Amino acid sequence: MGRTPSCGVARGLGSMCSAQVSKPDQSAGLNAAPPWRVVAVTAMPAYRLDVRFRDGTSGIVDMSALVNSDSAGVFLSLREPTVFSAVRVELGAVTWPGEIDLAPDALYASIKSKGGCVLSAGGVMQ
């Protein structure tokens, strides 16, 4: 009794099309990942980090004032050297166990413009 159309409506219900409906990705030449994504981080003495970003920008993040502050908040746990040295890159950000992280875009902006970054109490970058 009648055949099902290859693409269209049959008895009020949509049928699957055998032809390609979507177009191929037209943005093949675009770079989707932002330059501020962190690709490497190394813990250094005195609560400092050596951070390298996707575009090759790199610099030192000095966290000593923040970590040693009376108002360190969630960063208080980083006073323990073994915790501080457990730093890693996760999804393009600097992270530690316990869901502690640093905003990679703000770090990048500071390092790109000043060559480094100092974090103080309240997370303010200087």
Side-chain angles (χ1 to χ4, degrees):
M1 271 187 94
R3 57 183 187 122
T4 305
S6 63
C7 186
V9 178
R11 296 189 196 131
L13 300 175
S15 63
M16 294 189 61
C17 297
S18 59
Q20 180 181 0
V21 176
S22 63
K23 295 180 180 179
D25 184 7
Q26 300 296 316
S27 61
L30 295 179
N31 183 355
W36 48 257
R37 292 191 58 108
V38 176
V39 295
V41 62
T42 304
M44 300 173 61
Y47 302 111
R48 295 178 306 136
L49 301 170
D50 184 2
V51 180
R52 187 167 41 93
F53 296 91
R54 185 176 183 280
D55 71 348
T57 298
S58 63
I60 303 299
V61 177
D62 184 347
M63 297 184 64
S64 60
L66 173 61
V67 172
N68 290 312
S69 168
D70 289 337
S71 56
V74 298
F75 297 101
L76 180 65
S77 66
L78 300 182
R79 285 185 190 170
E80 175 57 45
T82 56
V83 176
F84 187 80
S85 60
V87 67
R88 65 186 184 275
V89 176
E90 188 172 307
L91 300 175
V94 174
T95 64
W96 288 270
E99 298 184 21
I100 299 170
D101 61 32
L102 300 176
D105 54 338
L107 292 177
Y108 178 83
S110 180
I111 290 172
K112 187 82 171 172
S113 67
K114 300 173 189 161
C117 180
V118 178
L119 298 180
S120 60
V124 177
M125 289 191 218
Q126 303 171 348

